[in-house]
């Protein structure tokens, strides 16, 4: 199971990064489609923040991006634990960091970001992920089939913004002092 969870996590992240970098492929699963949709919503709400934070971070030394992502994940954990909104915020941060690196000609560092985030989620946070239904739990959390579309959209927005408040301020502080 841990190997399967790690593989699924890496596939979902790689799909989202490709999506974020402009690849036109169809999502490989309903969970990947949900991750794209929810992450796009958070990014559209906080685009200036993510663009500025990741633009500055991408100027770091080559190979530093994965370490920075690890520090951001640790900061997020210190500010209140993990929930699905914070997972999405971390994925959006990593996707924006990958895009900023690609703009600077360091597209090859994307794989290291996928590996670092997959190791964190499916390794360090495996118990949390499994306790919350794994990626099927993620899918069901953001796809309440018994509610109407407007209610579901409101639920998604509220969940993302409440949970993603993983400390956009804390993240900004972390990036400022690195």
């Amino acid at each position: 199971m841990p190997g399967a969870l790690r593989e699924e996590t890496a596939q979902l992240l790689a799909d989202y990064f490709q999506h974020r970098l402009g690849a036109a492929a169809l999502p490989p699963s309903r969970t990947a489609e949900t991750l794209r949709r929810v992450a796009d919503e958070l990014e559209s709400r906080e685009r200036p923040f993510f663009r500025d934070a990741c633009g500055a971070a991408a100027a770091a030394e080559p190979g530093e991006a994965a370490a920075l992502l690890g520090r951001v994940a640790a900061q997020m954990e210190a500010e209140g634990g993990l929930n699905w909104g914070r997972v999405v915020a971390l994925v959006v941060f990593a996707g924006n960091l990958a895009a900023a690196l690609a703009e600077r000609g360091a597209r090859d560092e994307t794989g290291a970001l996928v590996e670092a985030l997959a190791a964190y989620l499916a390794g360090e946070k495996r118990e949390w992920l499994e306790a919350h239904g794994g990626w099927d739990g993620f899918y069901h959390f953001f796809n309440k089939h018994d509610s109407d579309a407007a209610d579901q959209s409101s639920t998604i927005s509220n969940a993302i913004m409440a949970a993603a408040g993983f400390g956009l301020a804390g993240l900004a502080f972390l990036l400022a002092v690195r």
Side-chain angles (χ1 to χ4, degrees), residues 102 134 145 167:
H145 293 295

Side-chain angles (χ1 to χ4, degrees), residues 42 50 76 84-94 163-166 168:
L42 175 59
F50 284 111
M76 174 192 70
W84 287 125
R86 290 177 184 212
V87 168
V88 172
L90 194 54
V91 169
V92 171
F93 174 76
F166 80 75
L168 294 180

Side-chain angles (χ1 to χ4, degrees), residues 11 13-25 36 107 110:
Q11 288 174 344
L13 295 172
D15 172 74
Y16 174 71
F17 283 19
Q18 289 174 352
H19 166 74
R20 180 61 186 79
L21 294 173
R36 286 181 181 188
R107 193 179 190 113
T110 300

Side-chain angles (χ1 to χ4, degrees), residues 37-48 50 92 96:
R37 176 177 48 86
V38 173
D40 287 350
E41 184 172 333
L42 175 59
E43 183 177 356
S44 71
R45 287 173 164 248
E46 299 293 335
R47 182 168 283 123
F50 284 111
V92 171
N96 274 269

Side-chain angles (χ1 to χ4, degrees), residues 1 16 24 29 33 41 65 72 81 85 95 97 103 108 117 122 124 126 132 135 156 158 160 166 171 175:
M1 173 71 172
Y16 174 71
S29 68
E33 181 179 12
E41 184 172 333
V72 168
L97 185 53
E103 287 176 15
D108 55 324
L117 192 50
E124 291 180 44
R126 178 181 59 82
H132 290 85
W135 290 105
I156 290 170
N158 291 340
I160 291 171
F166 80 75
L171 174 57
L175 294 171

